[in-house]
Amino acid sequence: MHCTGLFHFAPLGQSSYLQTISTKRKTILLGNAKAALHAALQGAHALLVSMRPHQWTKNLFALAPLLFGQKLGDVSAVGSALLAFAVFCLIASALYIVNDIADAEADRAHPEKRFRPIASGELAVSVAILASVVLLGMSFAIAVIISWQFLALAIGYGMLTFGYSLAVKHVVILDCMTIATGFVLRVVGGAAAVKVTPTHWLIVCAFLLALYLAFVKRRQELMMLTDTAREHRQVLSQYSVTYLEQVNNILVGATIVCYTLYTVAPETVARFGTDKLIYGTVFVVYGMLRYMVLTQKTENGGNPSRMLISDKPLLLAILGWGIYNALVIYRGVLAALWERML
C-alpha cells in the first residue's frame, strides 16, 4: 500500500482484481435473476395450461339467460352475468387441476394428455394444489358478491364436478350425464345471477346438447386410443364405438327437436311476442351437422372448445344463431333506437 498524507491507494493490480471480482459477482447475480425469472415464467405458463382457458367457452352457457331473459339492456344484469361466467371459469380451472393430479398416471398413457404439465412433471403437484385452492377461494368470494343463491349453485357445481373427478367418471352412462348436469347448473346459475327463471325447455335443450358433446368425446377417445383406451380411462372399456354412434344419432335428433319445440312453445311465443325464433333453428341444425362432420376425423379428438375456436364455419353458425335471436328478441328496442336516429 502507498500512502500520501491521510489517503491510502490500492496498487493498480489489486484494484483491477477487485473490479474483476465485482464484475463476476454481478454476472452471477444477473444470471441467477434471469434463471429465476425464466423458471417463474415457465411455471406460470404451465399453470395457465393446466387451467385450460380454451375450455372456458363451455361456460358461455351461463350467459344464455341474459339473452333469453331479455336482460341485455340491463347494465347491472350484464355485469352479474359476466361475474357468473368468471366464477364458473375459476371453479372449472381449479377442478381441472385437481383432475389432472388424480389422472396424472393415466394421462401418461395418452398420446396427447401425456404432455399436460402435471403428467409431464413440468408443474409440481404442491404448486398445483395451492393454485387450485386459491382459484376456488377467488370464485366463491366473487359468487358471494352476486348473491347467496348463486353461491349455493356455484358450490353445487363445484361438488358435482369434484364428485365426477373422484368417482362418477368411472360409471358408464352416469359419467356423461353428470357432465351434462354441470352444463345445466351453468344455465341455472346464469339465470340466478340475472334474476330470471329459466324455462324447462332451455334446461332440457342444454342438457341434451351437453350430453351429446360428452358422448361424442367418449367415442373420439375410443377411436384415438384403441387398445390403450382402458389404461387411460377405465369407463371406456364399457363403451363401444357402435353404441356411442347410435346414442349420438339419437341425441342429435332429440336436441334439434327439443329446440324447435321451445321456439314455438306457447310460453315462448307469449314471452317474446313472436314465433319467429323457429327460423333460427337453421343455425342449430347446421351447427350440429357441422360438428358431426368434424368428429368423423379422429385427430379432432371430440373437443368442442378447441373446435369452436379453430373451425370458422362452426363459429360463424354460433355467432349467426346468437345475432338472429338477439334481433328477434330485442326487435322492439332496436326499432325504437332506429326511430330516434332518424
Side-chain angles (χ1 to χ4, degrees):
M1 300 287 287
H2 297 281
C3 178
T4 303
L6 298 174
F7 300 96
H8 296 271
F9 299 93
L12 182 61
Q14 185 176 350
S15 176
S16 177
Y17 173 74
L18 291 174
Q19 287 180 354
T20 302
I21 293 295
S22 176
T23 302
K24 285 184 177 179
R25 284 178 179 173
K26 289 179 180 178
T27 303
I28 292 171
L29 288 173
L30 184 61
N32 290 341
K34 286 182 177 179
L37 179 61
H38 180 68
L41 290 175
Q42 276 191 324
H45 178 262
L47 179 60
L48 183 63
V49 171
S50 296
M51 288 172 64
R52 314 255 226 294
H54 65 276
Q55 298 281 14
W56 292 349
T57 54
K58 295 177 180 178
N59 298 315
L60 291 173
F61 273 66
L63 301 182
L66 184 68
L67 172 64
F68 292 100
Q70 298 176 296
K71 292 281 189 174
L72 275 179
D74 186 335
V75 176
S76 176
V78 171
S80 295
L82 292 175
L83 285 176
F85 172 78
V87 167
F88 284 117
C89 289
L90 291 171
I91 295 175
S93 289
L95 294 173
Y96 276 134
I97 293 172
V98 172
N99 188 68
D100 282 359
I101 294 171
D103 286 354
E105 198 63 40
D107 285 348
R108 294 185 184 106
H110 192 279
E112 292 180 359
K113 295 181 181 180
R114 62 194 175 94
F115 297 111
R116 286 178 174 175
I118 295 174
S120 65
E122 187 180 356
L123 182 65
V125 173
S126 57
V127 175
I129 293 172
L130 177 61
S132 182
V133 171
V134 171
L135 290 171
L136 283 175
M138 288 172 61
S139 67
F140 294 145
I142 297 172
V144 170
I145 295 173
I146 298 173
S147 71
W148 288 103
Q149 182 186 11
F150 179 78
L151 174 63
L153 288 166
I155 292 173
Y157 169 76
M159 291 175 65
L160 179 76
T161 307
F162 182 72
Y164 168 82
S165 299
L166 198 65
V168 182
K169 66 182 178 182
H170 302 303
V171 183
V172 67
I173 299 176
L174 282 181
D175 60 332
C176 293
M177 293 185 74
T178 302
I179 293 172
T181 303
F183 279 83
V184 170
L185 285 176
R186 289 176 173 98
V187 173
V188 176
V194 299
K195 296 179 174 59
V196 298
T197 303
T199 67
H200 300 306
W201 288 107
L202 193 59
I203 290 174
V204 174
C205 285
F207 180 79
L208 290 173
L209 176 60
L211 192 60
Y212 166 69
L213 296 176
F215 275 118
V216 165
K217 188 172 183 180
R218 291 291 180 266
R219 174 189 175 277
Q220 295 304 99
E221 287 174 334
L222 274 179
M223 297 287 288
M224 284 180 63
L225 300 172
T226 59
D227 296 334
T228 61
R230 181 183 174 85
E231 294 178 27
H232 167 65
R233 197 185 294 274
Q234 184 180 352
V235 75
L236 291 177
S237 64
Q238 302 178 64
Y239 286 116
S240 69
V241 173
T242 302
Y243 168 77
L244 291 170
E245 287 177 343
Q246 291 174 344
V247 169
N248 290 332
N249 289 336
I250 292 170
L251 289 173
V252 165
T255 303
I256 293 173
V257 169
C258 183
Y259 181 78
T260 304
L261 291 174
Y262 160 70
T263 61
V264 293
E267 60 185 283
T268 305
V269 174
R271 172 177 289 187
F272 302 121
T274 181
D275 58 0
K276 299 301 186 293
L277 283 177
I278 191 171
Y279 297 116
T281 305
V282 67
F283 295 105
V284 177
V285 173
Y286 176 82
M288 298 291 285
L289 295 180
R290 176 66 184 174
Y291 190 76
M292 290 182 75
V293 168
L294 293 173
T295 55
Q296 294 304 304
K297 298 178 181 179
T298 306
E299 61 269 22
N300 282 331
N303 189 323
S305 300
R306 290 195 185 280
M307 288 186 198
L308 175 60
I309 296 170
S310 61
D311 188 70
K312 290 182 180 178
L314 183 59
L315 179 60
L316 288 173
I318 295 171
L319 289 174
W321 172 83
I323 292 170
Y324 177 79
N325 282 313
L327 290 173
V328 173
I329 294 171
Y330 296 93
R331 66 193 183 283
V333 176
L334 293 172
L337 288 173
W338 179 255
E339 288 180 1
R340 289 181 184 178
M341 292 172 64
L342 295 177

